[in-house]
């Protein structure tokens, strides 16, 4: 049978691909099917949050120059920056985080993070995002990896009909410029149907649009319904076996068409709808606009958005050289604008209470400054920040020693944080998931919920 219809530029095959994710052959209808299949498996544990935004500072942000400064230490440890007071009495942060300093009464700082990985970014990212610390075992993403929280939520607590359940942006972060995709972002053993919807276009560009959620060039919205009818007619001309297969996809194909043609479904990606002053406040760069887009996606009922702050592990926060110059001129101003605006906007819109914001990283940086004016990897102690979604506001949890090298109070692992995130989102971290061969796996077996963090 001829795949093209006379008088039309678009083939039946192209229409079936409309909205395709373009990753591992997963289509938009398959994603919707996976979302629906998980609806019967919702965990019944009460949730304090309905959604989660992960801002992942990929490469290893320096805790000593951001959250856990040591101004009384020797110059080779304390660095070039001064601390400033915050809206949380008695708590200081870096002078280059002035906007975020005004939001500290809304957040929890954890200053006693640690894990076993000091060399491999990939293994540290995997631990931070999945809660599974496998030591220095590096390498890229693998089919038998443990899943990300976004994938788990897509299965156990699906987003409402018509919303994309799990989105990652603006990069598929690699393990080095020519390296493989980092682990921790995908669904792993759960199967690629639960992988994120990737938004890989720069939202700061004037012509920003989402290729994976757009119609082919030249196919107008008003013609889409006619194309859908044509597709149905073509399907009726196929053999019985093909008809049976396609019939099982009818509901998901219809939902895919609805996402592609519905103004409501597309609205979250229309950053031009935001006032220019708001876009300026978040920062006119790929990261600031990605954080703004994350807020809009949560408003559109996406369950989990993960924003990875680097095209590859060594590109941004991996400050082995010129640590202070990079932080002062580029990294901290961009992060300060985006993160503070996100927390402020969520609070003002009444969304912070049910939206968990997690600012995570692979590890921290060495207390001692190296000969390149940088700091190297340091897994023994680092800091993260949580806000909203049932987290206690205005809390500093844990403490490091006088040089920021070792936790001296309430040490915390990434597994503990991921288990606590699951608890806030209504998922039991001891829940059993099954891989594609029907083998059982515990979501995060070696971890504890930190109840002191929960309001």
């Amino acid at each position: 049978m001829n795949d093209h219809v006379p008088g039309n530029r678009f083939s039946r095959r192209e229409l079936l691909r409309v909205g395709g994710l373009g990753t591992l052959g997963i289509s938009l209808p398959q994603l919707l099917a996976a979302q629906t299949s998980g609806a019967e498996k919702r965990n019944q544990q009460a949730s304090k949050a309905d959604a989660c935004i992960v801002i992942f500072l990929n490469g290893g942000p320096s805790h000593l120059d951001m959250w856990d400064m040591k101004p009384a230490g020797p110059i080779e440890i304390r660095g070039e920056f001064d601390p400033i007071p915050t809206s949380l009495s008695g708590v200081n942060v870096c002078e280059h985080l002035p906007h975020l300093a005004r939001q500290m009464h809304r957040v929890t700082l954890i200053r006693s993070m640690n894990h076993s990985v000091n060399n491999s970014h990939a293994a540290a990212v995997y631990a931070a995002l999945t809660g599974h610390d496998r030591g220095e075992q590096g390498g890229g993403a693998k089919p038998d990896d443990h899943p990300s929280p976004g994938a788990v939520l897509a299965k156990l607590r699906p987003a409402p009909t018509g919303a994309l359940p799990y989105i990652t942006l603006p990069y598929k972060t690699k393990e080095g410029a020519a390296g493989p995709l980092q682990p921790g972002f995908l669904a792993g053993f759960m199967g690629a149907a639960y992988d994120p919807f990737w938004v890989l276009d720069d939202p700061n560009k004037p012509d920003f649009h989402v290729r994976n959620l757009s119609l082919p060039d030249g196919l107008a919205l008003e013609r889409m319904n006619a194309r859908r009818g044509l597709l149905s007619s073509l399907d009726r001309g196929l053999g019985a076996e093909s008809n049976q297969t396609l019939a099982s996809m009818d509901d998901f194909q219809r939902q895919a068409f609805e996402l592609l043609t519905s103004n409501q479904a597309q609205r979250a990606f229309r950053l031009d709808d935001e006032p220019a002053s708001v876009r300026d406040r978040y920062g006119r760069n790929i990261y600031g606009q990605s954080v703004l887009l994350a807020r809009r996606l949560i408003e559109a009922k996406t369950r989990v958005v993960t924003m990875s702050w680097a095209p590859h592990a060594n590109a941004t926060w991996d400050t082995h050289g010129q640590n202070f110059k990079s932080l002062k001129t580029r990294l901290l101003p961009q992060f300060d604008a985006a993160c503070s605006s996100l927390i402020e906007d969520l609070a003002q819109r009444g969304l912070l209470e049910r939206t968990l914001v997690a600012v995570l990283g692979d590890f921290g940086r060495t207390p001692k400054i190296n000969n390149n004016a940088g700091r190297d990897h340091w897994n023994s102690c680092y800091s993260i920040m949580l806000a909203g979604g049932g987290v206690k506001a205005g809390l500093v949890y844990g403490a490091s020693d006088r040089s920021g090298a070792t936790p001296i109070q309430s040490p915390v692992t990434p597994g503990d944080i991921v288990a606590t995130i699951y608890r806030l989102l209504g998922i039991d971290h001891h829940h059993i998931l099954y891989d594609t061969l029907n083998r059982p796996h515990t979501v995060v077996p070696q971890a504890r919920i930190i109840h002191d963090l929960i309001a």
Side-chain angles (χ1 to χ4, degrees):
M1 181 176 177
N2 194 328
D3 192 53
H4 281 79
V5 181
N8 291 304
R9 293 176 52 227
F10 303 101
S11 69
R12 175 185 173 281
R13 181 176 294 112
E14 184 174 16
L15 285 168
L16 282 169
R17 288 200 308 266
V18 169
L21 299 187
T23 304
L24 301 177
I26 301 305
S27 68
L28 186 54
Q30 285 174 285
L31 179 69
L32 294 164
Q35 176 178 332
T36 301
S37 69
E40 299 302 320
K41 301 179 177 68
R42 293 190 185 189
N43 191 287
Q44 298 301 309
Q45 185 168 311
S47 68
K48 289 181 173 288
D50 296 318
C52 180
I53 297 173
V54 176
I55 299 176
F56 197 81
L57 306 184
N58 210 303
S62 176
H63 59 299
L64 290 157
D65 302 307
M66 293 175 65
W67 314 112
D68 192 12
M69 305 184 75
K70 305 296 180 181
I75 185 63
E76 65 271 17
I77 289 175
R78 71 173 182 259
E80 299 178 9
F81 302 153
D82 292 323
I84 57 173
T86 71
S87 60
L88 182 58
S89 179
V91 175
N92 296 333
V93 297
C94 175
E95 62 183 309
H96 300 298
L97 297 174
H99 300 290
L100 199 52
R102 294 195 285 270
Q103 299 298 322
M104 295 308 294
H105 62 289
R106 292 187 165 121
V107 314
T108 279
L109 282 181
I110 302 170
R111 289 176 168 171
S112 53
M113 295 295 301
N114 69 99
H115 57 68
S116 72
V117 187
N118 196 52
N119 296 313
S120 168
H121 286 283
V125 170
Y126 182 73
L129 291 176
T130 70
H132 291 264
D133 187 341
R134 60 187 183 189
E136 293 289 354
Q137 181 183 346
K142 302 178 179 64
D144 60 350
D145 283 343
H146 288 270
S148 68
V152 173
L153 267 292
K155 182 176 181 67
L156 299 182
R157 198 179 172 201
T161 300
L164 291 163
Y166 171 34
I167 296 176
T168 298
L169 70 166
Y171 295 115
K172 291 183 177 180
T173 302
K174 297 179 180 180
E175 183 68 0
L181 174 66
Q182 287 185 332
F185 298 93
L186 303 181
F189 67 70
M190 286 172 50
Y194 294 101
D195 280 349
F197 183 93
W198 297 94
V199 176
L200 303 177
D201 298 279
D202 183 353
N204 191 46
K205 290 185 176 179
D207 61 348
F208 169 67
H209 68 284
V210 182
R211 288 169 291 177
N212 290 341
L213 202 62
S214 302
L215 301 178
D217 290 342
L219 183 57
L221 288 175
E222 61 268 18
R223 298 171 61 196
M224 195 62 174
N225 285 334
R227 292 286 181 256
R228 177 166 51 183
L230 176 61
L231 179 59
S232 298
S233 299
L234 288 170
D235 290 343
R236 286 195 294 271
L238 298 177
E241 182 179 350
S242 295
N243 267 330
Q244 183 177 5
T245 301
L246 288 166
S248 68
M249 292 182 64
D250 281 351
D251 288 344
F252 306 121
Q253 192 73 50
R254 184 177 64 254
Q255 290 181 56
F257 274 99
E258 288 171 356
L259 277 172
L260 289 165
T261 58
S262 166
N263 284 334
Q264 182 178 359
Q266 301 287 337
R267 193 171 298 127
F269 295 99
R270 297 175 187 163
L271 286 176
D272 284 342
D273 289 350
E274 292 285 338
S277 59
V278 172
R279 298 193 67 180
D280 292 344
R281 182 159 50 86
Y282 276 80
R284 292 284 188 160
N285 56 77
I286 189 171
Y287 302 112
Q289 298 304 294
S290 292
V291 173
L292 173 57
L293 180 55
R295 191 210 77 202
R296 291 177 61 86
L297 289 165
I298 294 301
E299 290 173 317
K301 306 304 180 183
T302 292
R303 190 71 75 191
V304 178
V305 181
T306 298
M307 200 283 281
S308 184
W309 201 295
H312 62 84
N314 313 124
T316 51
W317 298 92
D318 193 30
T319 53
H320 292 281
Q322 300 302 313
N323 172 75
F324 302 99
K325 180 179 178 180
S326 295
L327 291 174
K328 178 180 179 179
T329 61
R330 179 169 50 95
L331 296 171
L332 293 185
Q334 291 180 356
F335 171 68
D336 183 48
C339 190
S340 64
S341 296
L342 175 65
I343 294 171
E344 182 178 12
D345 280 2
L346 290 174
Q348 290 181 351
R349 292 163 184 249
L351 296 171
L352 188 59
E353 182 178 355
R354 300 290 298 181
T355 303
L356 174 63
V357 177
V359 180
L360 310 176
D362 353 1
F363 30 55
R365 314 303 298 186
T366 50
K368 188 172 181 179
I369 300 166
N370 64 29
N371 293 331
N372 296 316
R375 298 189 192 265
D376 300 316
H377 300 178
W378 193 256
N379 62 312
S380 297
C381 188
Y382 64 102
S383 303
I384 66 169
M385 188 188 84
L386 305 175
V391 170
K392 285 182 179 177
L395 175 68
V396 175
Y397 185 85
S400 65
D401 64 12
R402 62 185 301 271
S403 63
T406 306
I408 57 172
Q409 178 184 321
S410 304
V412 178
T413 70
D416 299 334
I417 293 301
V418 175
T420 304
I421 288 173
Y422 278 126
R423 171 64 187 87
L424 293 166
L425 289 164
I427 302 297
D428 181 358
H429 71 285
H430 290 127
H431 184 86
I432 301 298
L433 294 169
Y434 292 87
D435 62 23
T436 54
L437 298 177
N438 209 34
R439 295 172 298 192
H441 303 265
T442 303
V443 176
V444 190
Q446 305 297 324
R448 61 192 173 94
I449 296 170
I450 306 176
H451 293 283
D452 289 343
L453 301 180
I454 300 175

